[in-house]
Amino acid sequence: MTGHSAAPRPLQSRRAGALAGRVRVPGDKSISHRAFLFGGLASGRTRVTGLLEGEDVIATGRAMRQMGARIEREGEAWIIDGVGNGALLEPEGVLDFGNAGTGSRLTMGLVGPYDFTTTFVGDASLSRRPMGRVLDPLRQMGVQVLARSKDRLPLSLHGPRVSAPIEYRVPMASAQVKSAVLLAGLNTPGVTTVIEPIMTRDHTERMLEGFGAEVSVDTDASGVRTIRLTGQGELKGVPDFVVPGDPSSAAFLVVAALLVPGSDIVVENALMNPTRTGLIETLREMGASIEAVNPRLSGGEEVADLHVRHSALRGVTVPPERAPSMIDEYPVLAVAAAFAEGDTLMQGLEELRVKESDRLAAVAAGLAANGVQHEEGEDWLRVTGRPDGSGLGGGRVETHLDHRIAMSFLVMGLASEKPVRVDDATMIATSFPEFEGLVETLGGKLEAANR
């Protein structure tokens, strides 16, 4: 469980014929983070299969181990012996989260109410990202925050002797903020309440219930959700926890198959939680042939196999209220839009400004470098497509250490007239270490590029 940094590794993709075959994407990243967090906190043993073994998730596991959880890999499974709710130990060293935004923010919520000091550090990219949205509600619960620059890493938290339960209305659509407050509520007496005006991914609520927490969710007529968590209850390990496949990872292979003529693939075990399927809904509106076969339940979540065939796409307007269900998929949607007939307008994208990079600016720059006609606004992007891919590609994309920018533009190169090069592919390992192997398994062409 060690992190690493490496020299940049430029990579390029090129057209090489139809994609075909069956593949299985790695486990969902959001659920994998939470499996380490909840398994490490619960009393008893949790056995996890299908975990995403990217660097971000491993950083979360490493942090839980530093605070007393026993975490070992046995064959295909991870065995977690948790400390029991309220019994985390003060870590001796700093908690290094590398590039993991989700892992760091959720762990801040989890440890914030503990009456000890925890110091969080990360890589250059994570150290630029704002943490205030999570720290503000923690301060209301009595947590002290010491940061060198305003609410950015490195920073230290020290909890109060007894934290105070709060009622917190989430000011933006953010599953991370909601989750951090609920996790803080686990070691807080009384009822912690989160009011969520726009529903975001609900893995935290589902999994807390699965681990035995006392949690309730009420939705009013206008769709506002009120989540109540009773603190200081017992969490119990889950003997057989199966992590479904990550829809954000599946997205790259799905779009590649839609764009490359003649392609016909199946992506197995994809998570179909309704809070995560905005991209599939949008692609179907654009004319994509995506069939969900063999629907089933896994670990309390809906999963299915996705049968995807090459399709002629047309531009659509993606409404802003869909953004929370596909926030990580806009870069690869922009690539799909580059091959669609007409204009695709994506709205409500302000959240992309504070991802691993300014993801909206990075997408626009990548499109520009590869001959795609587009307009960028403060919180919107319009892409004018070219269905045959003629004149597209040939550019070098600056990834800004952002794994989704790298993978999205490598997908573009599989279908464009000229190859597409990204300046660095090393950080793909943070979320989807199998990406290159799976693309090549399906028949795609990736190759080392010059700097």
Side-chain angles (χ1 to χ4, degrees):
M1 278 202 169
T2 56
H4 74 275
S5 57
R9 184 170 61 86
L11 196 65
Q12 76 174 13
S13 55
R14 62 170 69 246
R15 259 190 201 170
L19 305 179
R22 296 180 75 91
V23 289
R24 177 174 284 242
V25 294
D28 181 70
K29 191 177 176 187
S30 297
I31 294 175
S32 294
H33 278 297
R34 288 162 174 81
F36 272 149
L37 290 167
F38 299 155
L41 191 66
S43 55
R45 175 166 286 190
T46 298
R47 181 179 184 273
V48 182
T49 51
L51 186 101
L52 171 69
E53 296 182 6
E55 291 167 18
D56 285 11
V57 171
I58 296 300
T60 298
R62 198 166 53 232
M64 292 305 290
R65 197 188 254 173
Q66 284 175 258
M67 292 186 287
R70 290 182 55 195
I71 300 175
E72 302 296 338
R73 191 161 189 257
E74 287 185 10
E76 293 294 296
W78 286 85
I79 308 299
I80 307 169
D81 290 305
V83 295
N85 187 22
L88 289 175
L89 304 175
E90 181 167 7
E92 285 186 10
V94 300
L95 302 182
D96 185 350
F97 279 90
N99 192 235
T102 299
S104 58
R105 291 192 180 107
L106 266 52
T107 306
M108 284 176 191
L110 186 66
V111 305
Y114 280 80
D115 186 12
F116 57 59
T117 299
T118 322
T119 300
F120 292 76
V121 301
D123 68 7
S125 168
L126 187 61
S127 300
R128 286 193 295 269
R129 295 169 69 182
M131 298 292 164
R133 54 177 59 184
V134 168
L135 299 174
D136 289 342
L138 292 180
R139 287 186 176 105
Q140 292 180 30
M141 299 174 89
V143 179
Q144 288 182 297
V145 181
L146 295 166
R148 199 172 293 165
S149 64
K150 179 160 172 56
D151 288 351
R152 284 178 164 74
L153 300 186
L155 60 81
S156 296
L157 303 182
H158 193 110
R161 205 169 58 75
V162 180
S163 53
I166 60 171
E167 180 177 292
Y168 190 71
R169 189 179 181 92
V170 183
M172 77 292 289
S174 171
Q176 291 181 0
V177 176
K178 166 179 69 175
S179 300
V181 177
L182 291 173
L183 293 182
L186 286 170
N187 193 39
T188 299
V191 177
T192 295
T193 305
V194 177
I195 299 167
E196 186 179 46
I198 299 171
M199 183 177 182
T200 61
R201 54 183 69 176
D202 61 351
H203 309 305
T204 297
E205 301 95 295
R206 288 176 186 243
M207 289 178 67
L208 279 171
E209 200 170 339
F211 278 85
E214 195 178 320
V215 60
S216 68
V217 183
D218 296 305
T219 306
D220 71 12
S222 60
V224 176
R225 302 172 82 235
T226 301
I227 306 147
R228 295 180 181 87
L229 176 90
T230 303
Q232 298 185 325
E234 187 183 6
L235 297 186
K236 292 191 172 74
V238 176
D240 184 23
F241 189 91
V242 181
V243 181
D246 191 333
S248 300
S249 296
F252 300 106
L253 305 179
V254 167
V255 170
L258 292 173
L259 299 184
V260 177
S263 296
D264 187 337
I265 71 167
V266 175
V267 180
E268 298 176 347
N269 194 41
L271 177 66
M272 298 299 286
N273 180 307
T275 65
R276 301 288 298 281
T277 52
L279 177 73
I280 289 175
E281 190 181 340
T282 302
L283 290 170
R284 283 175 171 159
E285 288 173 6
M286 296 172 77
S289 172
I290 305 172
E291 187 186 358
V293 295
N294 189 19
R296 55 203 184 274
L297 282 176
S298 173
E301 296 277 5
E302 299 163 46
V303 299
D305 303 330
L306 299 177
H307 184 191
V308 188
R309 299 179 187 88
H310 170 248
S311 306
L313 303 179
R314 58 185 173 273
V316 295
T317 295
V318 189
E321 57 270 20
R322 198 175 291 166
S325 70
M326 56 181 294
I327 198 66
D328 286 329
E329 283 79 67
Y330 282 106
V332 80
L333 175 62
V335 166
F339 295 83
E341 184 76 51
D343 287 0
T344 298
L345 175 62
M346 298 161 244
Q347 302 166 300
L349 307 186
E350 57 275 4
E351 181 73 9
L352 293 185
R353 298 284 185 195
V354 294
K355 286 290 188 179
E356 279 81 343
S357 60
D358 177 340
R359 205 171 260 171
L360 187 49
V363 169
L367 295 172
N370 288 286
V372 181
Q373 194 180 329
H374 68 284
E375 286 179 82
E376 174 195 0
E378 185 54 38
D379 63 351
W380 57 270
L381 181 69
R382 178 184 283 108
V383 178
T384 303
R386 218 174 285 176
D388 62 357
S390 63
L392 300 186
R396 175 183 177 275
V397 176
E398 289 191 32
T399 56
H400 303 280
L401 300 175
D402 191 323
H403 50 125
R404 299 201 196 280
I405 298 297
M407 289 185 279
S408 296
F409 284 97
L410 289 169
V411 166
M412 184 179 193
L414 298 173
S416 52
E417 185 180 312
K418 292 168 278 192
V420 173
R421 183 162 44 114
V422 300
D423 65 354
D424 188 12
T426 46
M427 86 301 287
I428 289 173
T430 65
S431 73
F432 194 176
E434 300 88 343
F435 171 75
E436 291 168 49
L438 291 180
V439 168
E440 290 175 348
T441 296
L442 293 171
K445 182 73 173 160
L446 301 174
E447 56 200 13
N450 300 322
R451 292 201 179 173

